[in-house]
Amino acid sequence: MIGGLLFSFWRFMQIITLIPTLGMLAYFVDRYQKSNLLTPNDILVLFIVSVLGAAWAILTVIRRKSTRDSAMFVSFIDLCFVGAFIAGVYELRNIANADCSNFSADSRFSVTINNDGISGDAPSLRLNTNKECAMRKASFAFGIMNCVFFAITAFLLLFMHRTRKDDREVVTKESYRRRSHDSR
């Protein structure tokens, strides 16, 4: 019971983190396709893995009963997705050290102290963000999160399989029929 609830929770977490990843990476794929250019491998690998991972997560949530019955197979596929997400994150690794945003401020700053108290003029702050860099970095982070999420569900399924196998009881009924060859 609790294993099923935990499994469902982590599956929903996977779906919640895969949908924004799909949207952000689809933006890049669409942009490159409209420009008639090949999509770079770093974007394409994580996009394909995210599409397949989202489809798998939704399918296993919908078919929870059969997921529980074939827990070893689903666990194996989840471990395959862990490896695929590691590959996708590895391909997108160059974005990890990128600086996608910065603050800029006016250089004026003044403080006045007089009989009425202290008054000042603070600089205005502006946030400058590179949208494409930020979306790649967010996809990178969501890819790492999904590596962990798929590993958690794989181990939960192994636990569910083990406990499910232990819960089964085999009852055999033995009956003996006595036959006598005497015809008295």
Side-chain angles (χ1 to χ4, degrees):
M1 168 84 178
I2 200 156
L5 290 174
L6 285 172
F7 173 77
S8 296
F9 170 77
W10 286 109
R11 274 295 192 233
F12 284 121
M13 292 301 293
Q14 290 168 359
I15 293 168
I16 288 169
T17 56
L18 283 168
I19 290 173
T21 306
L22 284 173
M24 290 183 283
L25 294 173
Y27 166 81
F28 290 115
V29 171
D30 182 58
R31 186 166 173 205
Y32 281 103
Q33 189 266 335
K34 284 182 179 175
S35 300
N36 204 19
L37 297 170
L38 291 175
T39 306
N41 287 341
D42 59 348
I43 293 171
L44 200 57
V45 170
L46 193 56
F47 177 70
I48 292 170
V49 171
S50 296
V51 168
L52 294 174
W56 177 252
I58 291 169
L59 179 75
T60 54
V61 165
I62 291 172
R63 298 181 48 103
R64 218 172 71 122
K65 171 90 170 89
S66 63
T67 298
R68 198 176 11 196
D69 292 339
S70 58
M72 287 296 286
F73 175 73
V74 177
S75 177
F76 173 73
I77 298 298
D78 278 5
L79 286 176
C80 290
F81 274 113
V82 170
F85 273 108
I86 288 172
V89 167
Y90 178 78
E91 284 291 321
L92 202 58
R93 71 189 177 280
N94 294 331
I95 200 71
N97 295 327
D99 187 17
C100 299
S101 61
N102 59 10
F103 283 101
S104 62
D106 294 339
S107 59
R108 324 177 264 128
F109 183 75
S110 65
V111 175
T112 306
I113 301 175
N114 55 24
N115 292 340
D116 296 332
I118 300 173
S119 63
D121 185 24
S124 61
L125 297 173
R126 276 182 250 107
L127 175 64
N128 302 318
T129 305
N130 181 351
K131 176 183 171 182
E132 292 183 5
C133 177
M135 287 189 345
R136 282 184 184 208
K137 203 164 209 175
S139 296
F140 177 77
F142 281 138
I144 293 171
M145 289 169 63
N146 278 302
C147 287
V148 174
F149 292 167
F150 273 95
I152 289 171
T153 55
F155 290 118
L156 277 173
L157 285 165
L158 286 175
F159 174 74
M160 286 170 57
H161 173 73
R162 195 189 86 209
T163 57
R164 181 138 174 102
K165 190 172 84 174
D166 292 343
D167 288 345
R168 291 184 185 157
E169 247 183 62
V170 178
V171 177
T172 58
K173 184 178 179 184
E174 295 180 17
S175 62
Y176 297 102
R177 192 170 183 182
R178 247 170 102 175
R179 290 189 144 189
S180 172
H181 292 288
D182 296 343
S183 59
R184 291 190 198 187

